Amino acid sequence: MTNRIGLFKKSWILGVAILLLQGCGSTKTLVSAEKASIIAKIDLINVVDDKVNVVLDPAAFATDTVSFFIPKTVPGTYSDDNYGKYIEQFKAIDYKGGELKVEKLDDNTWRIINAKDLDKINYWVNDTYDTEVEVSEPVFSPSGTNILKGKNFMLNLHGFVGYFDGLEEIPYSLEISAPDGLEPVTSLVKGIQDVNRPDTDVFVANRYFEVIDNPIMYSSPSTETFQVNDIAVTLSVYSPNGHFTAASLKAGMEKMMRGQKAFLGDINSTKHYTIILYLSNMDDEDAKGFGALEHHTSTVVVMPEQISKERLEEAIFDTVAHEFFHIVTPLTIHSNEIQYFDFNDPKMSMHLWMYEGTTEYFANLFQIQQGLISEEDFYQRLMEKVERSKTYDDSMSFTVMSKNILEEPYKKNYANVYEKGALINMALDIDLRELSGGEKGVLWLMKELSKKYGDSKPFEDDGLIDEIVAMTYPEIGEFFNVHVIGDTPIDYDAYWKKVGLSTTEQEQSTGYFFDGEIPYIDVDPANDNAIFVREGIQLNSFFNDLGAQGGDIIKSVDGKMTNLVNIRLLIGQSMNWDPDKEIVMVVQRGYKEITLKGKVGVPTLKVVNLVPIEGPSEQQKNLREAWLKG
Ligand SMILES: [Zn+2]
């Protein structure tokens, strides 16, 4: 997945403020549950109180009890989300239409008693998008669900369809009835349509994993298709106010994906790919977790609708590039932990440095190698990653963090997989190029690994690094031991030197509360709209000189209570502040209230630039060339 922390996380809120067919009934006792497919019926027509009815019809069980699960977590999210919390009025129905006894074991598990009599189960599903503001750790929108009667249904199917214990590997037939005018977009394979039920779409999946690996969006379609070599790409856009269409985004998307395919070369890839883009209108009941989640043949991307085309394109191209590269890892190259993913008791792999790190690194590297961005842009992206990585624990073993990512303190360092994770790969790439005389890099390594492992051939989690070392050089083993398994921070300056680059510091002018359109402060809807200083970003001199820290809640400024209205006024007034103006800001840090005082000064932001050195050696020039040109 990608989480657009740097660009959008929460920051937007303030930004907007300002600116298969199987019979049922009597014959079914002849077919055992292990042998027949499960029919899942989803009714998108008769939405009641913002909820959707789901009926699951398995064949006959031979056991006295059976457990039914909705996933606690799904691949690619690396978080416990308990999708079972959104299920209501769960009923197990016997063949005579009566109700069987059900025990609820936890948020995601229902045990059905007298399972031999079970005909079907029936429940109602609530969506996650309209509860995001109410819960402290909302489901990340690209893996969430949306029920907007008559307009949009985001069917991340793990939120709607569950599985019976032991039946994860049997096929599913999904029968989805939808209102007129709403069309499905998905990579899921269509089944045989019942001519008597024209409003019901039938989809088939070989196993439960395939159900959840193929989200479906129902909306009034804005869809375009294009071909990238042998891949047929479908781009579908839901834009509630009609600001964007698939047609308006197609050309840029096509250009980017062509670049990706050229970068990957002969690496195995899918024959079709679906990009499902959901644009949120940002009201209380809409999605706010911007980013995307990867699947084998599709991705769901969620972004705000109220942004300029230029900014949306920049965000979606980077995001889709990242998700598409996930085809390499973890979708192709992955460990047992991911192959045999337990949706309710997941075991984490130690290789997020690769699943997310390599993916994010490639999403940037291909752009310089394919001439889509300038060297200057590429260096700036790297320095932003260096700066942001320092806002996390730089002395935390990446493999230990990965293995324990569902728990603190590892969990709060997760987003560093996009920052330091990418930089680990950059260092590895430069080392590999240096040791191989420019021949081999991380892309070569991934191609070699993809020849050994694949879709249904996982690697052993604790053997991968030894295997990489055996394929490459002892120095690579040293790098992993010290900087990936070990907890020693990477000396980036040493890597810049190898490729003839160096850093220069510069003070750049900025606003008091905004750097361009990116705010230093934000609003927390989950905490009574408290105004806080953003975390995980570099603050300007105004906040630094006052002694403010990321996460501080601004209680008052110059004696005036801070709220959304007052902060807008203050931001307006700050445009005319005299540098000698004295300011008193009371902030809450943890349980303490702290008074910060000082002159507002002239706000500046320290920017570290990465630039080529004068007169690089032949070796430095050649290594940089090999790195950037591939
Ligand atoms: Zn990702």
Side-chain angles (χ1 to χ4, degrees):
M1 66 184 244
T2 33
N3 215 326
R4 306 261 346 153
I5 295 239
L7 260 178
F8 290 120
K9 194 180 179 195
K10 286 181 175 171
S11 73
W12 182 248
I13 297 172
L14 193 66
V16 163
I18 290 146
L19 320 170
L20 267 205
L21 299 181
Q22 171 198 315
C24 183
S26 59
T27 57
K28 84 177 291 177
T29 47
L30 300 171
V31 186
S32 77
E34 295 79 22
K35 290 185 181 138
S37 55
I38 292 171
I39 299 174
K41 295 178 180 169
I42 304 176
D43 182 355
L44 304 180
I45 299 174
N46 302 295
V47 175
V48 179
D49 292 338
D50 206 28
K51 292 180 207 92
V52 159
N53 187 251
V54 176
V55 175
L56 252 74
D57 189 351
F61 288 96
T63 51
D64 291 331
T65 64
V66 66
S67 290
F68 176 79
F69 302 100
I70 292 283
K72 176 183 189 174
T73 184
V74 291
T77 58
Y78 311 105
S79 63
D80 285 336
D81 291 310
N82 299 304
Y83 296 95
K85 280 195 206 168
Y86 300 89
I87 304 298
E88 287 180 15
Q89 302 170 63
F90 186 97
K91 289 190 177 87
I93 314 291
D94 67 18
Y95 294 112
K96 292 174 183 155
E99 266 187 60
L100 292 169
K101 193 177 165 203
V102 176
E103 294 168 350
K104 191 158 184 214
L105 303 185
D106 58 40
D107 278 342
N108 314 295
T109 315
W110 293 260
R111 184 159 59 196
I112 299 154
I113 315 297
N114 288 330
K116 281 176 185 154
D117 293 335
L118 179 68
D119 179 14
K120 54 195 170 193
I121 57 170
N122 184 326
Y123 50 82
W124 290 84
V125 182
N126 248 311
D127 62 329
T128 67
Y129 284 9
D130 60 15
T131 60
E132 284 185 13
V133 293
E134 295 160 20
V135 295
S136 60
E137 290 182 61
V139 173
F140 182 50
S141 310
S143 60
T145 54
N146 191 36
I147 297 172
L148 192 58
K149 190 177 178 174
K151 290 196 173 121
N152 181 282
F153 296 90
M154 180 62 82
L155 307 182
N156 266 304
L157 291 162
H158 50 260
F160 290 86
V161 179
Y163 59 100
F164 293 95
D165 197 12
L167 298 187
E168 297 92 323
E169 300 299 315
I170 72 163
Y172 275 70
S173 173
L174 302 177
E175 302 181 4
I176 306 176
S177 48
D180 278 355
L182 297 196
E183 297 291 335
V185 178
T186 181
S187 280
L188 204 57
V189 176
K190 277 227 175 194
I192 302 162
Q193 190 93 25
D194 182 345
V195 288
N196 298 314
R197 291 189 294 159
D199 60 358
T200 302
D201 297 308
V202 180
F203 298 96
V204 289
N206 288 317
R207 58 183 189 128
Y208 184 66
F209 180 84
E210 250 184 56
V211 173
I212 67 160
D213 192 38
N214 288 284
I216 310 174
M217 180 169 78
Y218 273 87
S219 66
S220 170
S222 170
T223 300
E224 290 285 329
T225 57
F226 53 89
Q227 198 73 24
V228 175
N229 296 15
D230 53 352
I231 311 170
V233 181
T234 300
L235 167 65
S236 189
V237 179
Y238 172 71
S239 180
N241 300 297
H243 291 194
F244 298 96
T245 59
S248 69
L249 299 168
K250 177 182 163 182
M253 193 73 82
E254 192 175 341
K255 183 178 171 198
M256 182 204 70
M257 291 186 79
R258 278 189 196 290
Q260 290 192 274
K261 186 68 186 146
F263 172 83
L264 287 175
D266 55 5
I267 214 158
N268 277 341
S269 68
T270 171
K271 292 279 171 265
H272 61 111
Y273 196 76
T274 307
I275 301 161
I276 300 172
L277 175 60
Y278 179 98
L279 296 173
S280 166
N281 66 26
M282 291 299 297
D283 69 22
D284 272 1
E285 308 231 307
D286 209 345
K288 287 173 199 71
F290 302 122
L293 184 63
E294 75 271 20
H295 301 284
H296 281 78
T297 54
S298 61
T299 181
V300 171
V301 186
V302 178
M303 290 289 165
E305 189 185 36
Q306 306 285 340
I307 54 175
S308 65
K309 183 171 183 241
E310 193 186 8
R311 190 138 177 256
L312 179 69
E313 286 195 321
E314 188 193 345
I316 59 172
F317 295 164
D318 279 352
T319 301
V320 173
H322 175 104
E323 303 311 321
F324 186 71
F325 279 135
H326 269 310
I327 288 175
V328 179
T329 189
L331 300 175
T332 299
I333 307 165
H334 57 250
S335 70
N336 283 305
E337 281 74 4
I338 289 175
Q339 182 77 17
Y340 307 105
F341 193 85
D342 187 330
F343 305 103
N344 277 283
D345 186 18
K347 309 289 177 289
M348 292 292 134
S349 161
M350 65 172 84
H351 300 296
L352 276 170
W353 68 269
M354 181 174 77
Y355 305 143
E356 292 300 339
T358 304
T359 303
E360 178 64 11
Y361 177 59
F362 282 178
N364 287 281
L365 184 68
F366 96 97
Q367 299 195 45
I368 176 74
Q369 288 198 4
Q370 296 296 317
L372 299 174
I373 56 171
S374 66
E375 268 184 53
E376 210 177 357
D377 283 348
F378 182 65
Y379 298 149
Q380 193 187 336
R381 286 166 175 240
L382 292 177
M383 286 318 293
E384 283 169 2
K385 291 203 181 294
V386 171
E387 289 303 322
R388 288 199 294 259
S389 73
K390 288 177 184 159
T391 67
Y392 301 96
D393 185 352
D394 201 17
S395 302
M396 181 178 270
S397 157
F398 236 66
T399 49
V400 172
M401 176 178 96
S402 181
K403 195 82 199 141
N404 299 283
I405 201 68
L406 300 177
E407 315 290 336
E408 295 296 3
Y410 309 102
K411 192 175 162 180
K412 63 171 181 267
N413 284 277
Y414 171 75
N416 208 11
V417 300
Y418 306 113
E419 318 297 348
K420 189 176 177 178
L423 295 166
I424 287 172
N425 281 271
M426 176 203 77
L428 199 56
D429 204 18
I430 293 173
D431 279 345
L432 278 171
R433 293 280 184 196
E434 188 180 34
L435 292 162
S436 66
E439 288 290 305
K440 298 169 180 171
V442 173
L443 181 58
W444 167 86
L445 178 64
M446 290 299 131
K447 285 186 177 182
E448 291 299 303
L449 287 171
S450 72
K451 288 176 192 160
K452 293 184 170 180
Y453 301 105
D455 212 1
S456 51
K457 194 159 179 275
F459 59 79
E460 289 293 334
D461 211 58
D462 53 13
L464 180 72
I465 290 172
D466 288 346
E467 199 177 335
I468 291 173
V469 176
M471 290 160 69
T472 57
Y473 309 91
E475 290 88 343
I476 298 301
E478 178 74 7
F479 175 82
F480 274 103
N481 280 331
V482 174
H483 302 297
V484 185
I485 301 168
D487 55 16
T488 306
I490 297 170
D491 176 7
Y492 298 111
D493 286 335
Y495 284 92
W496 308 144
K497 198 173 168 197
K498 284 178 194 235
V499 291
L501 301 173
S502 70
T503 56
T504 59
E505 257 187 38
Q506 235 179 307
E507 292 286 335
Q508 197 173 281
S509 94
T510 178
Y512 291 98
F513 296 97
F514 277 79
D515 179 32
E517 59 184 68
I518 301 171
Y520 293 106
I521 57 174
D522 207 349
V523 186
D524 186 0
N527 180 16
D528 207 17
N529 285 336
I531 312 287
F532 65 97
V533 181
R534 290 180 57 205
E535 284 179 281
I537 62 161
Q538 207 194 329
L539 296 173
N540 62 11
S541 60
F542 167 64
F543 284 105
N544 282 332
D545 294 349
L546 274 177
Q549 292 180 7
D552 283 357
I553 295 170
I554 305 174
K555 305 295 285 184
S556 70
V557 175
D558 291 340
K560 264 203 197 86
M561 289 284 293
T562 313
N563 58 30
L564 209 46
V565 175
N566 289 344
I567 201 80
R568 280 177 203 157
L569 268 170
L570 190 72
I571 293 167
Q573 288 161 356
S574 72
M575 314 275 177
N576 301 312
W577 279 354
D578 183 292
D580 286 327
K581 175 191 158 51
E582 298 278 343
I583 192 170
V584 180
M585 188 184 281
V586 178
V587 301
Q588 185 187 327
R589 190 175 297 161
Y591 295 106
K592 272 196 228 156
E593 279 209 349
I594 302 167
T595 302
L596 307 172
K597 284 186 210 171
K599 284 192 174 139
V600 299
V602 177
T604 57
L605 184 65
K606 204 183 281 171
V607 183
V608 184
N609 291 316
L610 187 59
V611 293
I613 58 165
E614 298 276 339
S617 70
E618 249 348 86
Q619 198 184 348
Q620 285 172 318
K621 267 202 313 212
N622 292 341
L623 188 56
R624 194 200 308 164
E625 181 96 355
W627 174 44
L628 299 180
K629 304 268 161 72

Coordinates of all heavy atoms in Angstrom, one line a residue, residues 285-333:
E285 N -18.7 12.3 6.2 CA -19.1 10.9 5.9 C -18.3 10.3 4.8 O -18.7 9.3 4.3 CB -20.6 10.9 5.7 CG -21.4 11.6 6.7 CD -22.5 10.7 7.2 OE1 -23.3 10.2 6.4 OE2 -22.6 10.5 8.5
D286 N -17.2 11.0 4.4 CA -16.5 10.5 3.2 C -15.1 10.1 3.6 O -14.6 10.4 4.7 CB -16.5 11.5 2.1 CG -16.5 10.8 0.7 OD1 -16.1 9.6 0.6 OD2 -16.8 11.5 -0.3
A287 N -14.4 9.4 2.7 CA -13.1 8.8 2.9 C -12.0 9.9 3.1 O -12.1 11.0 2.5 CB -12.7 8.0 1.7
K288 N -11.1 9.7 4.1 CA -10.0 10.6 4.3 C -8.7 10.0 4.4 O -7.7 10.6 4.6 CB -10.3 11.4 5.6 CG -11.4 12.4 5.4 CD -11.8 13.1 6.7 CE -13.2 13.7 6.5 NZ -14.3 12.7 6.5
G289 N -8.6 8.7 4.2 CA -7.3 8.0 4.2 C -6.8 7.9 2.8 O -7.2 7.1 2.0
F290 N -5.9 8.9 2.4 CA -5.5 9.0 1.0 C -4.3 8.1 0.7 O -3.3 8.1 1.5 CB -5.3 10.4 0.6 CG -6.5 11.2 0.8 CD1 -6.5 12.3 1.6 CD2 -7.7 10.8 0.3 CE1 -7.7 13.1 1.9 CE2 -8.9 11.5 0.5 CZ -8.8 12.6 1.3
G291 N -4.3 7.4 -0.4 CA -3.3 6.5 -0.7 C -3.9 5.4 -1.5 O -4.9 5.6 -2.2
A292 N -3.3 4.2 -1.5 CA -3.8 3.0 -2.3 C -3.4 1.7 -1.7 O -2.5 1.7 -0.8 CB -3.3 3.1 -3.7
L293 N -4.1 0.7 -2.1 CA -3.8 -0.7 -1.7 C -3.6 -1.6 -2.9 O -4.3 -1.5 -3.9 CB -4.9 -1.3 -0.8 CG -4.6 -2.7 -0.2 CD1 -3.4 -2.6 0.7 CD2 -5.8 -3.2 0.5
E294 N -2.5 -2.4 -2.9 CA -2.2 -3.2 -4.0 C -2.9 -4.6 -4.0 O -3.2 -5.1 -3.0 CB -0.7 -3.5 -4.0 CG -0.2 -4.6 -3.0 CD 0.2 -4.0 -1.6 OE1 -0.3 -2.9 -1.3 OE2 0.9 -4.7 -0.9
H295 N -3.2 -5.0 -5.3 CA -3.7 -6.4 -5.5 C -3.0 -6.9 -6.7 O -2.3 -6.2 -7.4 CB -5.2 -6.3 -5.7 CG -6.0 -5.7 -4.6 ND1 -6.2 -6.4 -3.4 CD2 -6.5 -4.5 -4.4 CE1 -6.9 -5.6 -2.6 NE2 -7.0 -4.4 -3.1
H296 N -3.2 -8.3 -7.0 CA -2.4 -8.9 -8.1 C -2.8 -8.2 -9.4 O -1.9 -8.1 -10.3 CB -2.7 -10.4 -8.2 CG -1.9 -11.2 -7.2 ND1 -2.3 -11.2 -5.8 CD2 -0.8 -11.9 -7.3 CE1 -1.4 -12.0 -5.2 NE2 -0.5 -12.4 -6.0
T297 N -4.0 -7.9 -9.6 CA -4.4 -7.4 -11.0 C -5.2 -6.1 -10.9 O -5.8 -5.7 -11.8 CB -5.2 -8.4 -11.8 OG1 -6.3 -8.8 -10.9 CG2 -4.4 -9.6 -12.1
S298 N -5.1 -5.4 -9.7 CA -5.8 -4.1 -9.6 C -5.3 -3.4 -8.4 O -4.5 -3.8 -7.6 CB -7.3 -4.4 -9.4 OG -7.6 -5.1 -8.3
T299 N -5.8 -2.1 -8.3 CA -5.5 -1.3 -7.1 C -6.6 -0.4 -6.9 O -7.3 0.1 -7.8 CB -4.2 -0.5 -7.3 OG1 -3.9 0.2 -6.1 CG2 -4.2 0.5 -8.5
V300 N -6.9 -0.1 -5.6 CA -7.9 0.9 -5.2 C -7.1 2.2 -4.8 O -6.3 2.0 -3.9 CB -8.8 0.4 -4.1 CG1 -9.7 1.6 -3.6 CG2 -9.7 -0.7 -4.6
V301 N -7.4 3.3 -5.4 CA -6.7 4.5 -5.0 C -7.8 5.5 -4.5 O -8.8 5.7 -5.1 CB -6.0 5.2 -6.2 CG1 -5.2 6.4 -5.8 CG2 -5.1 4.2 -7.0
V302 N -7.5 6.1 -3.3 CA -8.4 7.1 -2.8 C -7.7 8.5 -2.7 O -6.6 8.5 -2.1 CB -9.0 6.7 -1.4 CG1 -9.9 7.7 -0.9 CG2 -9.7 5.3 -1.6
M303 N -8.3 9.5 -3.2 CA -7.7 10.8 -3.2 C -8.8 11.9 -3.0 O -10.0 11.6 -3.3 CB -7.0 11.1 -4.5 CG -5.7 10.3 -4.8 SD -4.4 10.9 -3.7 CE -3.3 9.5 -3.9
P304 N -8.4 13.1 -2.6 CA -9.4 14.1 -2.5 C -9.8 14.7 -3.8 O -9.0 14.7 -4.7 CB -8.8 15.2 -1.6 CG -7.3 15.0 -1.8 CD -7.1 13.5 -2.0
E305 N -11.1 15.0 -4.0 CA -11.6 15.6 -5.3 C -11.2 17.0 -5.5 O -11.0 17.5 -6.6 CB -13.1 15.4 -5.4 CG -13.6 15.7 -6.8 CD -15.1 15.6 -6.9 OE1 -15.8 16.0 -5.9 OE2 -15.6 15.2 -7.9
Q306 N -11.2 17.8 -4.3 CA -11.0 19.2 -4.5 C -9.5 19.6 -4.6 O -9.0 20.4 -3.8 CB -11.6 19.9 -3.2 CG -13.0 19.6 -2.9 CD -14.0 20.2 -3.9 OE1 -13.6 21.2 -4.5 NE2 -15.2 19.7 -4.0
I307 N -8.8 19.1 -5.5 CA -7.4 19.6 -5.7 C -7.2 19.8 -7.2 O -8.0 19.3 -8.0 CB -6.4 18.6 -5.2 CG1 -6.5 17.2 -5.7 CG2 -6.4 18.6 -3.7 CD1 -5.4 16.2 -5.3
S308 N -6.2 20.5 -7.5 CA -5.9 20.8 -8.9 C -5.6 19.5 -9.7 O -5.1 18.6 -9.1 CB -4.8 21.8 -9.0 OG -3.6 21.2 -8.6
K309 N -5.8 19.6 -11.0 CA -5.5 18.4 -11.8 C -4.0 18.1 -11.7 O -3.6 16.9 -11.6 CB -5.8 18.7 -13.3 CG -5.6 17.5 -14.2 CD -6.2 17.7 -15.6 CE -6.0 16.5 -16.4 NZ -5.2 16.6 -17.6
E310 N -3.2 19.1 -11.7 CA -1.7 18.9 -11.6 C -1.3 18.2 -10.3 O -0.6 17.2 -10.4 CB -1.1 20.3 -11.6 CG 0.4 20.3 -11.8 CD 1.0 21.7 -11.7 OE1 0.3 22.6 -11.2 OE2 2.2 21.8 -12.0
R311 N -1.9 18.6 -9.2 CA -1.6 17.9 -7.9 C -2.2 16.5 -7.8 O -1.5 15.6 -7.3 CB -2.1 18.8 -6.8 CG -1.6 18.4 -5.4 CD -1.2 19.6 -4.6 NE -0.8 19.1 -3.3 CZ -1.6 19.2 -2.2 NH1 -2.8 19.8 -2.3 NH2 -1.1 18.8 -1.0
L312 N -3.4 16.3 -8.4 CA -4.0 15.0 -8.4 C -3.1 14.1 -9.2 O -2.8 12.9 -8.8 CB -5.4 15.1 -8.9 CG -6.1 13.7 -8.9 CD1 -6.4 13.2 -7.5 CD2 -7.4 13.7 -9.8
E313 N -2.7 14.6 -10.4 CA -1.9 13.7 -11.3 C -0.6 13.3 -10.6 O -0.2 12.1 -10.6 CB -1.6 14.4 -12.6 CG -2.9 14.5 -13.5 CD -2.6 14.8 -14.9 OE1 -1.7 15.7 -15.1 OE2 -3.2 14.3 -15.8
E314 N 0.0 14.3 -10.0 CA 1.3 14.0 -9.3 C 1.1 12.9 -8.3 O 1.9 12.0 -8.2 CB 1.8 15.3 -8.7 CG 3.2 15.1 -8.1 CD 3.6 16.3 -7.2 OE1 3.0 17.3 -7.2 OE2 4.6 16.1 -6.5
A315 N 0.0 13.1 -7.5 CA -0.2 12.1 -6.4 C -0.6 10.7 -6.9 O -0.1 9.7 -6.5 CB -1.3 12.7 -5.5
I316 N -1.6 10.7 -7.9 CA -2.0 9.4 -8.4 C -0.9 8.7 -9.2 O -0.8 7.5 -9.1 CB -3.4 9.4 -9.1 CG1 -3.3 10.2 -10.4 CG2 -4.5 9.7 -8.2 CD1 -4.6 10.1 -11.2
F317 N -0.1 9.4 -10.0 CA 0.9 8.7 -10.8 C 1.9 8.1 -9.8 O 2.3 6.9 -10.0 CB 1.6 9.7 -11.7 CG 0.6 10.2 -12.8 CD1 1.0 11.3 -13.6 CD2 -0.6 9.6 -13.0 CE1 0.1 11.8 -14.5 CE2 -1.5 10.0 -14.0 CZ -1.1 11.2 -14.7
D318 N 2.4 8.8 -8.8 CA 3.3 8.2 -7.9 C 2.7 7.0 -7.1 O 3.3 6.0 -6.9 CB 3.7 9.3 -6.8 CG 4.8 10.2 -7.3 OD1 5.3 9.9 -8.4 OD2 5.2 11.2 -6.6
T319 N 1.4 7.2 -6.8 CA 0.7 6.1 -6.0 C 0.5 4.9 -6.9 O 0.8 3.8 -6.5 CB -0.6 6.7 -5.5 OG1 -0.3 7.8 -4.7 CG2 -1.3 5.6 -4.7
V320 N 0.0 5.1 -8.1 CA -0.3 4.0 -9.0 C 1.0 3.3 -9.4 O 1.1 2.1 -9.4 CB -1.1 4.4 -10.2 CG1 -1.2 3.2 -11.2 CG2 -2.5 4.8 -9.8
A321 N 2.1 4.1 -9.6 CA 3.4 3.5 -9.9 C 3.8 2.6 -8.8 O 4.3 1.4 -9.0 CB 4.4 4.6 -10.1
H322 N 3.7 3.0 -7.6 CA 4.0 2.2 -6.4 C 3.2 0.9 -6.4 O 3.8 -0.2 -6.3 CB 3.8 3.0 -5.1 CG 4.0 2.3 -3.8 ND1 5.2 2.5 -3.1 CD2 3.3 1.4 -3.2 CE1 5.1 1.7 -2.0 NE2 4.0 1.0 -2.1
E323 N 1.9 1.0 -6.5 CA 1.0 -0.1 -6.4 C 1.3 -1.1 -7.6 O 1.3 -2.3 -7.4 CB -0.5 0.3 -6.5 CG -0.9 1.2 -5.4 CD -0.4 0.8 -4.0 OE1 -0.5 -0.4 -3.7 OE2 0.0 1.7 -3.2
F324 N 1.6 -0.6 -8.8 CA 1.8 -1.5 -9.9 C 3.1 -2.2 -9.7 O 3.3 -3.4 -10.0 CB 1.9 -0.7 -11.2 CG 2.0 -1.5 -12.4 CD1 1.0 -2.3 -12.9 CD2 3.2 -1.5 -13.2 CE1 1.1 -3.0 -14.0 CE2 3.3 -2.3 -14.3 CZ 2.3 -3.1 -14.7
F325 N 4.2 -1.6 -9.1 CA 5.4 -2.3 -8.8 C 5.3 -3.4 -7.7 O 6.1 -4.2 -7.6 CB 6.5 -1.3 -8.4 CG 7.2 -0.6 -9.6 CD1 7.4 0.7 -9.6 CD2 7.6 -1.4 -10.7 CE1 8.0 1.3 -10.7 CE2 8.2 -0.8 -11.8 CZ 8.4 0.6 -11.8
H326 N 4.2 -3.3 -7.0 CA 3.9 -4.4 -6.0 C 3.7 -5.7 -6.7 O 3.8 -6.8 -6.1 CB 2.7 -4.1 -5.2 CG 3.0 -3.3 -3.9 ND1 4.0 -3.7 -3.0 CD2 2.5 -2.2 -3.4 CE1 4.0 -2.9 -2.0 NE2 3.1 -2.0 -2.2
I327 N 3.5 -5.7 -8.0 CA 3.4 -7.0 -8.8 C 4.7 -7.7 -8.6 O 4.7 -9.0 -8.5 CB 3.1 -6.7 -10.3 CG1 1.7 -6.2 -10.4 CG2 3.4 -7.9 -11.1 CD1 1.3 -5.8 -11.8
V328 N 5.8 -7.0 -8.5 CA 7.1 -7.7 -8.3 C 7.2 -8.2 -6.9 O 7.5 -9.4 -6.7 CB 8.3 -6.7 -8.6 CG1 9.6 -7.3 -8.3 CG2 8.2 -6.1 -10.0
T329 N 7.0 -7.4 -5.9 CA 7.0 -7.8 -4.5 C 6.0 -7.0 -3.7 O 5.9 -5.8 -3.9 CB 8.4 -7.7 -3.9 OG1 8.4 -8.4 -2.6 CG2 8.9 -6.3 -3.8
P330 N 5.2 -7.6 -2.9 CA 5.2 -9.0 -2.5 C 4.3 -9.9 -3.4 O 4.2 -11.1 -3.1 CB 4.5 -9.0 -1.1 CG 3.6 -7.8 -1.1 CD 4.2 -6.8 -2.1
L331 N 3.7 -9.4 -4.4 CA 2.7 -10.2 -5.2 C 3.4 -11.4 -5.9 O 2.9 -12.5 -5.9 CB 1.9 -9.4 -6.1 CG 1.1 -8.3 -5.3 CD1 0.3 -7.4 -6.3 CD2 0.1 -8.9 -4.4
T332 N 4.6 -11.2 -6.4 CA 5.4 -12.3 -7.0 C 6.4 -12.8 -5.9 O 6.3 -14.0 -5.5 CB 6.2 -11.8 -8.2 OG1 5.2 -11.4 -9.2 CG2 7.0 -13.0 -8.8
I333 N 7.3 -12.0 -5.5 CA 8.3 -12.5 -4.5 C 7.8 -12.2 -3.1 O 7.7 -11.1 -2.6 CB 9.7 -11.7 -4.7 CG1 10.1 -11.8 -6.2 CG2 10.8 -12.2 -3.8 CD1 11.1 -10.8 -6.6

